[in-house]
Amino acid sequence: MTRRQYQFAAIMLAVFSLVGAVSAIAEDAGTQQLVAATTKKVDFESDVKPILESRCVDCHGPEDPEAKFRILSRKSLLRGGESGEPAIVPASSADSFLIKVVAGLDPHLKMPPEGPRLTSQQIAVLRAWIDQGLAMPDADASSDIDRTDHWSFQPIGNPEPPQLEDKFAASPIDAFILKKLQEQQLAPSSRADRRTLIRRLFLVMLGLPPTPEQVTEFVNDDSPNAWKNLVDQVLESPRYGERWARHWLDLIRFGETHGFETNRERPNAWPYRDWVINALNSDKPYDDFVRQQIAGDAFGEPIGTGFLVAGPHDIVKGRDPNLALMQRQDELSDMINATTTAFLGMTIGCARCHNHKFDPITQRDFYAVQAVFAGVQHADQKLPVPSECQKEIANVQEQIRELRRKLVEFIPPTESGLREAVTAKHNVDTFGPVEAKQVRFTILKTSSSQPCIDELEIFAGEKNVALASAGAIATCSSSLPGYEIHKLQHINDGVYGNKRSWISNEAGAGWVQIEFPKPQRIDRVEWARDRESQYGDRVAIEYRIEVAAKSGEWHVVSSSDDRLPFGQSNQAEPVYAFDKATSDRAAEGRQWLTELKVAEKKAAGLSVVPMVYAGTFQQPGPTHRLYRGDHNARREVVGPDAIESLGSLKLPGDAAEQKRRVAFAEWVADSANPLTARVIANRLWQFHFGTGIVDTPSDFGANGTLPTHPELLDWLARDLMNNGWSLKHLHRQMLMSNTWQQSSRPDSSSLKVDGATRLLWRFPPRRIEAEVIRDSILVVTGKLDTKMGGQGFSGFEVELENVRHFHPKSTYGPEDFRRMIYMTKVRQEQESVFGSFDCPDASQVTPKRSRSTTPLQALNLLNSSFVIEQAKFFAERLEKSAPPSDDGKVTLAFALCFGRLPGEQELADSRTFIEQAGLQQFCRAMLNANEFVFVP
């Protein structure tokens, strides 16, 4: 056991011992009634301390001399023990766990189990001490907060790089690395050759091998800035964002199916993947990258909140309210875990059921953070229409109105004076502007069963004022129980379709009501059964719409009385007759009609609202601390806040939902936060060198490992912040260092001292990831489709049953030859060929992938239909592009696969192999070579 673990265990024992030391039932408390507090002023030194000290000795004995010190700690009393239950609630002895125990109100916690117990007088003294404010010597409010001297919780330093007389120490990074090497009597390796460097650079930064032409150009570039120019070129490549986005998506458990039993698709999840790629390519400042994923809806980047709901989601709901509560707690825990591990490198999820065992994170902290995210719901959301597009839509609609006005003269008279009948897809009720605080939609008759409405929109001009996100509150006569997709909260969540709708629990009847935060002048109501046109039942065919400026003063503004009966219709489109007009006027009318059809088609295209799986947001109710994480064991209400030992959001308990996430995002992204910059700097280092300076990249707490180069980590974090949080700047610092450019050749003496190469006496070689192997194969064979963005391609043949079944693909076509980051990420399944190369399951966060070597990997790479087909394409490319001799084909194959020319023996062996097995088998062997799948 480490010293820190021992200290933690001792503190926990002390907290429980405190309860035990003073928890004996009063000798005359057989009735288990709470003894009243004494009314006299209690002095800690003379009245309270003797009780605590005497009971401490009774419990611990003289062999634990530090017990008295621990038991008299105000902080330990307020923090509580492992369960997270505070021993004392200041100024409220009746609610204090300690008093309940010593009074014998809990038969399961009589401590100590033997020996004398507290008297009624002693209990009364303790109660008075608590009620009078828990006065203790030298105690103040700041001492109640858990603090720690752990390195990662300390402010980020500004260390000066060591001053070393060595040409290797050409940059601050090199100076820190060399100093540590010298301490271990190690020496750095020489610089790698140019062919190795360009191949390493392309594989690490782009996830693709360089072309033979790029290798030749760099090798022959004699300019002093050749390497710098190549680094700049790579950082500006759009392939960079695709490569490094994969690291981020692993980390935040991004998937394009829901997981769990049904594992249904998330067809609108991909825009978040593209958002990450674009953010990295544009070098979005990392602090903004953080903010926009926690509260992007407040910062003009709504797609960013796809981060919050990127994890698995159980869409199978039941009638059991306990199941629903448990599922919701699991969802929120997933959000908290992903957020705090990704950005802060802290395992706050460990405090869901009890105080954190190793770090200064209380159970109350966990639920304070839960209160920040309590209003986030898994769902698609509409993306806002850009202002330029809105202007274009308005112009087109105005054009349509003008053309229709002109064409009125060509419409023959009609006898029908009624409005169109109600439809399932969309209905509009307009009326003169009226002041309203409440609007009620009452259903009088339906086409079948209970009525269903997918969204009730109420407009004041062009603004929908009914949205819950705008503060509107929905109520109803009843809701159909047991269906997660049919809930009252969906009536004004801004999402269309049956899967986010309300159904009343009354056959053919019911009402739903919207109340605004303040009176609104409204003139239109829009509603539908299902605007996605998937369902046509449960339509409200008779209804009335009432408004009230004051509660109870209702009057009708629209109804179904002036509509055609359901199922009947006027002409869907006006019929224009030009035969009675003059020829010139008829020609003009026909031209207007042509223009109208073009405009309507354009309007239809512009009106398609893009959707993204980025969650929806609603004002949450109170959040309670849950005793041992049990949703049925609510304790005190907890307001939205950060981890107390690191700071506070200073928000009121009823803060608006969005303000909670904004405040939390600002706290995380603040340069004063000691974790954020350190964590991301360490992650970049990890993906460059294979292992982070801290090799537990998502646990910077006491249970994580210590940094190998703490001063270097602080220097990187400070340099990141001083340069606008630019990740590309930090990449450039690492890539330009001599440390990064070292040879990867082993050295026997150095291996004995540092076998894992943690001190970086050489560049650590490693196998490339599954995505890089697949993409590299497609580059070499000439089949890679570099199309960026948009919906991805499937790596499976999907059996579309209620529970999805994903089968390996048997054939591949051009649509499968995009980069693997665009392959739909399916939870709980692995792509049949490359999934075996340690691809993580998106059901959980993956800060670093494992690196295994298994027979299945070798078999897949050698015998899969994908690789065999690509070997055929590779051979065809060599036949077409290489000189006709076998030596010419071998030379081009080595240049494409390894970025170098073959040696004489390699050339001879390859020639013999081709003669015996054929060119395609040679190509197959090249794609299976160790050199092909390793970062040199």
Side-chain angles (χ1 to χ4, degrees):
M1 179 180 291
T2 66
R3 179 174 176 272
R4 185 168 297 279
Q5 289 171 327
Y6 175 81
Q7 289 175 335
F8 170 79
I11 292 171
M12 289 297 97
L13 177 62
V15 174
F16 280 114
S17 298
L18 171 62
V19 176
V22 293
S23 66
I25 300 176
E27 294 175 357
D28 57 347
T31 59
Q32 294 189 342
Q33 295 180 351
L34 195 57
V35 177
T38 182
T39 56
K40 74 167 189 173
K41 181 68 175 177
V42 173
D43 178 73
F44 177 79
E45 290 290 337
S46 60
D47 298 324
V48 179
K49 188 175 180 180
I51 299 174
L52 299 182
E53 288 185 331
S54 64
R55 305 313 296 155
C56 176
V57 172
D58 287 344
C59 180
H60 292 279
E63 70 277 1
D64 188 3
E66 295 186 7
K68 288 184 181 180
F69 172 77
R70 294 194 305 269
I71 206 166
L72 300 179
S73 165
R74 174 187 172 103
K75 181 171 69 176
S76 295
L77 288 168
L78 294 174
R79 189 180 198 269
E82 181 179 324
S83 69
E85 201 77 5
I88 286 176
V89 178
S92 182
S93 62
D95 296 322
S96 295
F97 186 61
L98 171 63
I99 298 301
K100 294 176 182 178
V101 174
V102 299
L105 300 182
D106 188 337
H108 302 292
L109 289 173
K110 298 179 181 179
M111 293 185 288
E114 299 178 0
R117 297 169 179 168
L118 291 186
T119 65
S120 297
Q121 182 179 1
Q122 289 173 317
I123 295 174
V125 168
L126 289 178
R127 288 203 64 189
W129 172 56
I130 295 170
D131 291 339
Q132 291 170 18
L134 200 66
M136 297 179 76
D138 302 323
D140 57 61
S142 63
S143 68
D144 295 344
I145 301 174
D146 270 342
R147 303 295 183 191
T148 177
D149 59 358
H150 186 63
W151 69 271
S152 65
F153 282 69
Q154 308 313 307
I156 296 173
N158 193 15
E160 287 292 327
Q163 299 300 313
L164 302 174
E165 296 295 330
D166 192 301
K167 65 179 182 179
F168 181 83
S171 72
I173 289 175
D174 298 324
F176 285 114
I177 293 296
L178 182 59
K179 183 174 185 294
K180 186 72 70 171
L181 289 174
Q182 290 177 344
E183 290 173 359
Q184 299 298 318
Q185 298 183 332
L186 292 170
S189 299
S190 60
R191 192 172 190 261
D193 65 81
R194 285 199 168 192
R195 290 183 182 275
T196 297
L197 283 176
I198 187 173
R199 180 168 174 80
R200 179 189 299 171
L201 178 66
F202 273 60
L203 290 177
V204 170
M205 296 305 299
L206 306 182
L208 300 171
T211 65
E213 294 77 16
Q214 289 170 322
V215 173
T216 301
E217 181 181 358
F218 176 61
V219 168
N220 295 331
D221 188 347
D222 296 328
S223 69
N225 291 326
W227 177 248
K228 178 182 181 299
N229 293 339
L230 185 63
V231 167
D232 290 342
Q233 173 190 327
V234 162
L235 288 174
E236 290 305 312
S237 170
R239 311 281 84 85
Y240 155 76
E242 293 173 329
R243 164 63 163 154
W244 283 78
R246 182 68 268 164
H247 297 317
W248 187 257
L249 298 180
D250 280 1
L251 175 64
I252 60 98
R253 84 283 186 235
F254 172 79
E256 294 174 82
T257 62
H258 288 299
F260 292 93
E261 296 93 332
T262 58
N263 209 15
R264 294 286 191 90
E265 300 84 357
R266 281 184 189 168
N268 298 315
W270 61 265
Y272 172 76
R273 172 249 289 153
D274 287 355
W275 183 87
V276 173
I277 292 172
N278 294 332
L280 294 174
N281 277 333
S282 65
D283 199 21
K284 183 186 290 289
Y286 182 71
D287 56 341
D288 287 341
F289 188 64
V290 171
R291 292 186 185 96
Q292 292 166 11
Q293 291 182 83
I294 297 173
D297 51 315
F299 295 109
E301 294 283 351
I303 298 177
T305 57
F307 161 82
L308 296 174
V309 293
H313 175 52
D314 192 352
I315 63 172
V316 178
K317 309 298 180 183
R319 295 175 180 266
D320 184 358
N322 283 315
L323 174 62
L325 289 171
M326 182 177 68
Q327 288 174 322
R328 182 59 179 158
Q329 284 298 314
D330 289 343
E331 284 177 10
L332 292 172
S333 183
D334 170 72
M335 294 179 201
I336 294 166
N337 180 61
T339 303
T340 55
T341 55
F343 298 128
L344 301 174
M346 296 303 298
T347 56
I348 188 175
C350 295
R352 177 179 177 179
C353 302
H354 51 71
N355 290 337
H356 201 290
K357 291 181 179 292
F358 301 103
D359 299 324
I361 302 171
T362 65
Q363 192 190 26
R364 186 179 180 87
D365 286 336
F366 176 88
Y367 288 98
V369 176
Q370 185 185 100
V372 170
F373 298 110
V376 182
Q377 304 288 332
H378 274 262
D380 288 319
Q381 65 167 266
K382 295 179 185 176
L383 287 176
V385 180
S387 58
E388 299 81 7
C389 189
Q390 289 178 349
K391 291 178 181 177
E392 188 174 6
I393 291 173
N395 291 337
V396 173
Q397 289 176 338
E398 177 60 32
Q399 181 185 3
I400 291 171
R401 284 193 291 270
E402 179 63 19
L403 288 168
R404 285 178 175 170
R405 185 188 64 76
K406 291 179 178 179
L407 287 165
V408 166
E409 65 179 274
F410 300 104
I411 301 176
T414 176
E415 296 180 2
S416 174
L418 296 177
R419 290 194 292 153
E420 290 291 337
V422 166
T423 69
K425 184 176 181 180
H426 188 214
N427 302 286
V428 180
D429 284 87
T430 58
F431 41 84
V434 59
E435 194 84 5
K437 184 73 165 59
Q438 300 169 318
V439 176
R440 178 178 289 181
F441 189 102
T442 302
I443 298 99
L444 305 173
K445 184 178 180 181
T446 66
S447 61
S448 63
S449 195
Q450 304 99 322
C452 177
I453 298 177
D454 71 345
E455 186 77 8
L456 187 63
E457 298 177 302
I458 305 169
F459 288 88
E462 295 303 314
K463 183 179 180 182
N464 178 12
V465 294
L467 290 168
S469 59
I473 299 173
T475 54
C476 64
S477 58
S478 62
S479 289
L480 188 66
Y483 292 89
E484 183 70 18
I485 63 173
H486 303 304
K487 298 171 70 174
L488 175 62
Q489 68 191 54
H490 299 160
I491 197 71
N492 61 339
D493 62 357
V495 181
Y496 297 151
N498 181 71
K499 62 185 178 183
R500 300 281 293 184
S501 61
W502 165 77
I503 296 181
S504 91
N505 199 29
E506 305 156 61
W511 57 262
V512 63
Q513 178 177 312
I514 303 293
E515 181 170 353
F516 311 123
K518 60 182 180 180
Q520 300 283 349
R521 192 164 181 80
I522 64 172
D523 57 11
R524 183 168 89 256
V525 173
E526 298 190 20
W527 59 279
R529 188 286 178 235
D530 177 18
R531 272 173 251 215
E532 294 181 340
S533 300
Q534 300 298 310
Y535 294 86
D537 59 344
R538 303 177 183 271
V539 180
I541 60 176
E542 293 184 12
Y543 64 90
R544 66 172 178 267
I545 300 174
E546 301 166 282
V547 302
K550 295 181 180 179
S551 181
E553 297 181 3
W554 297 101
H555 67 276
V556 176
V557 293
S558 188
S559 73
S560 56
D561 292 348
D562 62 345
R563 285 187 179 272
L564 285 169
F566 182 65
Q568 296 184 22
S569 177
N570 291 315
Q571 288 284 348
E573 293 289 338
V575 175
Y576 298 102
F578 302 103
D579 55 334
K580 295 183 180 180
T582 65
S583 58
D584 289 345
R585 192 63 173 168
E588 192 173 25
R590 291 187 180 94
Q591 178 61 32
W592 290 337
L593 182 58
T594 300
E595 292 175 6
L596 176 63
K597 291 180 178 179
V598 171
E600 287 176 334
K601 184 177 180 180
K602 184 176 182 179
L606 291 171
S607 300
V608 175
V609 180
M611 304 290 287
V612 58
Y613 196 87
T616 56
F617 312 102
Q618 60 187 45
Q619 186 64 23
T623 296
H624 295 261
R625 182 176 64 83
L626 303 181
Y627 180 62
R628 302 198 176 189
D630 184 353
H631 54 269
N632 287 320
R634 292 184 174 185
R635 294 297 189 262
E636 74 276 9
V637 172
V638 180
D641 213 336
I643 300 171
E644 188 179 40
S645 59
L646 289 172
S648 173
L649 305 184
K650 302 186 184 305
L651 290 174
D654 61 350
E657 189 281 327
Q658 189 181 79
K659 286 184 177 179
R660 302 178 185 210
R661 289 182 291 111
V662 169
F664 190 81
E666 295 288 3
W667 172 75
V668 173
D670 194 319
S671 58
N673 191 310
L675 293 167
T676 308
R678 279 183 176 131
V679 168
I680 190 59
N682 185 69
R683 294 197 194 281
L684 264 61
W685 190 271
Q686 169 194 335
F687 294 122
H688 275 281
F689 294 101
T691 306
I693 295 172
V694 177
D695 70 354
T696 51
S698 287
D699 187 357
F700 272 42
N703 204 37
T705 60
L706 294 174
T708 55
H709 301 77
E711 296 85 2
L712 172 57
L713 182 57
D714 273 17
W715 185 89
L716 291 169
R718 181 64 59 188
D719 188 52
L720 173 68
M721 293 187 290
N722 289 344
N723 287 275
W725 293 84
S726 167
L727 297 182
K728 286 188 177 181
H729 169 79
L730 212 54
H731 281 303
R732 191 174 282 106
Q733 293 281 50
M734 296 178 192
L735 293 168
M736 294 303 297
S737 71
N738 287 326
T739 302
W740 200 94
Q741 297 173 55
Q742 290 181 101
S743 167
S744 61
R745 290 183 178 277
D747 176 79
S748 57
S749 59
S750 299
L751 285 169
K752 291 178 182 178
V753 178
D754 180 26
T757 322
R758 292 297 308 283
L759 301 181
L760 297 176
W761 52 269
R762 66 166 176 158
F763 184 88
R766 59 189 183 273
R767 192 185 67 203
I768 56 181
E769 301 93 328
E771 292 85 354
V772 185
I773 297 174
R774 185 183 191 275
D775 294 349
S776 295
I777 290 174
L778 291 170
V779 168
V780 166
T781 62
K783 293 298 182 181
L784 180 66
D785 179 357
T786 57
K787 174 189 172 184
M788 295 184 67
Q791 283 200 319
F793 65 97
S794 177
F796 301 90
E797 293 175 1
V798 185
E799 191 175 342
L800 295 175
E801 296 184 359
N802 179 50
V803 175
R804 296 294 194 255
H805 300 287
F806 298 89
H807 304 290
K809 273 196 169 180
S810 54
T811 59
Y812 300 90
E815 68 278 4
D816 300 306
F817 297 159
R818 298 179 67 191
R819 295 199 71 174
M820 194 170 171
I821 193 169
Y822 298 114
M823 181 186 289
T824 302
K825 186 65 176 178
V826 176
R827 288 189 165 88
Q828 303 167 187
E829 299 286 349
Q830 291 290 4
E831 193 271 340
S832 60
V833 180
F834 298 95
S836 62
F837 287 89
D838 305 306
C839 281
D841 180 14
S843 295
Q844 57 188 0
V845 297
T846 305
K848 61 179 182 179
R849 295 189 183 187
S850 58
R851 296 193 193 114
S852 65
T853 302
T854 68
L856 186 59
Q857 293 168 352
L859 290 170
N860 282 354
L861 207 55
L862 186 64
N863 296 326
S864 67
S865 59
F866 179 87
V867 174
I868 291 173
E869 182 181 47
Q870 292 300 317
K872 176 176 174 288
F873 294 147
F874 190 10
E876 291 172 353
R877 180 180 187 181
L878 296 180
E879 292 279 10
K880 180 179 179 180
S881 303
S885 66
D886 285 347
D887 284 3
K889 295 181 178 65
V890 170
T891 299
L892 179 57
F894 268 73
L896 289 167
C897 288
F898 309 144
R900 63 177 179 85
L901 300 177
E904 290 185 10
Q905 188 60 51
E906 289 173 322
L907 193 60
D909 290 343
S910 299
R911 190 186 309 118
T912 301
F913 187 95
I914 293 173
E915 290 172 356
Q916 294 177 351
L919 183 59
Q920 182 174 336
Q921 297 307 315
F922 166 76
C923 292
R924 187 176 170 194
M926 291 290 285
L927 298 179
N928 277 266
N930 275 347
E931 188 174 352
F932 183 70
V933 297
F934 263 78
V935 175

